[in-house]
Structure formats: structure tokens, C-alpha cells
Amino acid sequence: METISKAKAFGGTQGVYRHKSEACQCDMTFALFLPPQAEQGPVPVLWYLSGLTCTHQNVMDKGEYRRLAAELGIAILCPDTSPRGDDVPDEPDNWQFGKGAGFYLDATEAPFAKNYNMYSYITEELTELVAQKFPLDMSHQAITGHSMGGHGAITIALKNPERFKSVSAFAPIAQPSTAGWSKPAFEKYLGNDQSVWRAYDTTALIEDGHRIESLLVDQGTSDGFLDDGLRPWLLQEACAKAGIPLTLNMQDGYDHSYYFISTFMDEHLRWHAARL
């Protein structure tokens, strides 16, 4: 593992690291903020999964999480959204697919199955790596994310409820298997059998019996992707039928940007801290 950069912030350390990934068959980069409490011993960790077109850098620069994370004693782990490199298959003119759009799944279709294994990368490879290299209390993990990353956070938590003590999301894609900006990607990554897609669809996972203890979601009412891509009412319906307590905050006038995310980041950090 290579250290790309380290900087002190709020008594803690913001680092960026690179390593060779077996799951994605390329070099992968991630960011990790360690609060000052990590100098005394392992600290709880909150995963943040980013959205379409993003990398680890977006939330690190614009998410405004370090001040409160340092106060609460929580590490913030920010992976990339997809495999990277000249040899990774891509559609450069399609921002909804390929590099920057891994959708946190394990692809089964050629030529994408070799590299696009973000589910295994997050839940296995990167988990093992950071557990070995950093003072993290891996018995106390939480997960959140934005948009595509919100979809990733909820689906990963639904399939690993014993691992994540809490889950939240900012403007998640509630039903990616039918949304206009994600259905084509699912077909290219996973093939034509839509029953396979259910393993990476929040509402389908809930319908199929997967459960989490509770869920916090913030969604802007002025989000340009609200009606076609995000559709939080589908998540609300699925949680109501399954008896999953959902706190859905429709935030008046907010859009899909990091202005929205940074505004409500503190509330999400406190939500997770209470459960960690």
C-alpha cells in the first residue's frame, strides 16, 4: 500500500492511499480520516460511498465531515466508485456507466466481470486491508453514501446486517433495476436475466426478506433526478411493508449537489455515532 498524501485536520489525519486490488485487477485509491482518538486505540468506522462520476476526492474536499468526526471519534473511510486504469473497459462518453459508475455490484458479463467487482472490493478486500493497516474497530462499522453510493450503502447493509450497526443515505437510487439512469448499466454488468439484478436493488432485497434495524434518508425536493432516477417513495413503500423504520427527510429546496450533502452531514454523523 502506498501513501499518496497525509494532512493534519482537527487533531486527526486525513490520508489518501493506493493499493493493488485483486478484486478489481487494477490500482485502487481510497481516503481515510482518522480522528485524534485513533492515537489511543481502535475507533469505529463509517464508510462513505460516493455517487456517479465521483471518486474518493469529492466528499473529502466538499463533504465537511472532519470537524464532527474528530469530535465524535469516528473514522471516515471513502473508497473509489469503480475500477480505474487504461486497461479497464469503459464508455468514455457515458457518465452513467463504466469508470465512475461501478454501482457497487459484482459484474458477471464480459468484458466487465474482470474489473467491475466493487461489491467484493468493498465488503472483502478493502475491509481486510484497512483492518490490517489502521487502528479501526471493525466490530463497530456503519455505512452511508450519496445517490449511486446511497444505493450501494443500503444494499450492502441489507446483505450484511450483522456487520453494519447503522445505515443512512443521501438521495439514494431507490430502485436501480427500473430507473432510467441505472437500468442500462445493470443490463451491461449483469446480463438480461433481471432476477439476478435483485441482489443489487434495495426494494427487491427488502421484498426478498432482507432487513436492517432502521434507515435515515435525506432527499432534496429540488433534486433534478428525483422523479426519474431516485424515487424515494418506492423505498418508503418497501420499508413500510417490511416494517423497517425509515426516517425520510424531504429537504425543501435542496438539490443533488454537495451543498446539500454538506448541509446535512452532521445529522448523519450523529445518527451513526448514536448507534456505534
Side-chain angles (χ1 to χ4, degrees), residues 215-233:
L215 175 61
L216 170 65
V217 171
D218 276 272
Q219 170 67 62
T221 61
S222 296
D223 191 320
F225 303 109
L226 180 61
D227 293 332
D228 178 56
L230 305 174
R231 303 175 295 168
W233 49 87

Side-chain angles (χ1 to χ4, degrees), residues 98-159:
K99 297 177 189 178
F103 279 95
Y104 302 101
L105 51 74
D106 283 352
T108 58
E109 299 298 297
F112 309 107
K114 176 182 177 181
N115 304 105
Y116 287 84
N117 296 298
M118 290 301 296
Y119 178 79
S120 291
Y121 174 70
I122 296 292
T123 60
E124 297 175 13
E125 185 176 19
L126 186 56
T127 297
E128 294 173 4
L129 177 66
V130 297
Q132 293 171 4
K133 299 292 186 180
F134 300 100
L136 302 176
D137 180 359
M138 303 305 282
S139 66
H140 289 80
Q141 296 183 62
I143 192 166
T144 188
H146 171 231
S147 193
M148 178 186 73
H151 132 77
I154 301 172
T155 56
I156 288 173
L158 282 166
K159 291 193 283 188

Side-chain angles (χ1 to χ4, degrees), residues 20-260:
K20 293 186 181 298
S21 167
E22 292 295 327
C24 297
Q25 292 293 295
C26 63
D27 287 348
M28 294 294 287
T29 302
F30 65 94
L32 176 66
F33 175 70
L34 288 173
Q37 294 86 342
E39 295 181 0
Q40 307 303 319
V43 294
V45 57
L46 171 62
W47 294 74
Y48 179 94
L49 307 186
S50 292
L52 287 164
T53 74
C54 293
T55 69
H56 67 281
Q57 191 83 31
N58 299 75
V59 68
M60 189 177 77
D61 289 348
K62 298 181 286 188
E64 301 183 20
Y65 56 79
R66 279 174 288 267
R67 177 193 57 79
L68 187 56
E71 177 184 322
L72 298 172
I74 298 174
I76 310 295
L77 176 58
C78 309
D80 201 349
T81 53
S82 70
R84 307 281 175 175
D86 294 339
D87 296 331
V88 174
D90 187 26
E91 292 184 5
D93 297 327
N94 183 1
W95 64 274
Q96 298 171 338
F97 183 76
K99 297 177 189 178
F103 279 95
Y104 302 101
L105 51 74
D106 283 352
T108 58
E109 299 298 297
F112 309 107
K114 176 182 177 181
N115 304 105
Y116 287 84
N117 296 298
M118 290 301 296
Y119 178 79
S120 291
Y121 174 70
I122 296 292
T123 60
E124 297 175 13
E125 185 176 19
L126 186 56
T127 297
E128 294 173 4
L129 177 66
V130 297
Q132 293 171 4
K133 299 292 186 180
F134 300 100
L136 302 176
D137 180 359
M138 303 305 282
S139 66
H140 289 80
Q141 296 183 62
I143 192 166
T144 188
H146 171 231
S147 193
M148 178 186 73
H151 132 77
I154 301 172
T155 56
I156 288 173
L158 282 166
K159 291 193 283 188
N160 300 273
E162 73 291 341
R163 172 173 164 180
F164 295 100
K165 294 185 176 297
S166 56
V167 56
S168 73
F170 300 91
I173 305 174
Q175 195 177 84
S177 64
T178 63
W181 64 351
S182 49
K183 183 177 180 180
F186 270 45
E187 186 171 2
K188 292 174 185 176
Y189 286 136
L190 300 172
N192 295 321
D193 183 358
Q194 295 191 14
S195 65
V196 176
W197 302 5
R198 298 180 69 84
Y200 303 105
D201 185 296
T202 294
T203 59
L205 285 167
I206 293 173
E207 289 172 2
D208 292 345
H210 294 267
R211 297 292 183 265
I212 47 180
E213 288 191 5
S214 60
L215 175 61
L216 170 65
V217 171
D218 276 272
Q219 170 67 62
T221 61
S222 296
D223 191 320
F225 303 109
L226 180 61
D227 293 332
D228 178 56
L230 305 174
R231 303 175 295 168
W233 49 87
L234 298 177
L235 177 61
Q236 193 171 36
E237 292 170 4
C239 287
K241 289 180 181 178
I244 297 174
L246 167 65
T247 301
L248 175 60
N249 299 317
M250 298 300 296
Q251 304 292 0
D252 187 47
Y254 284 90
D255 61 13
H256 200 66
S257 72
Y258 270 88
Y259 297 115
F260 157 65

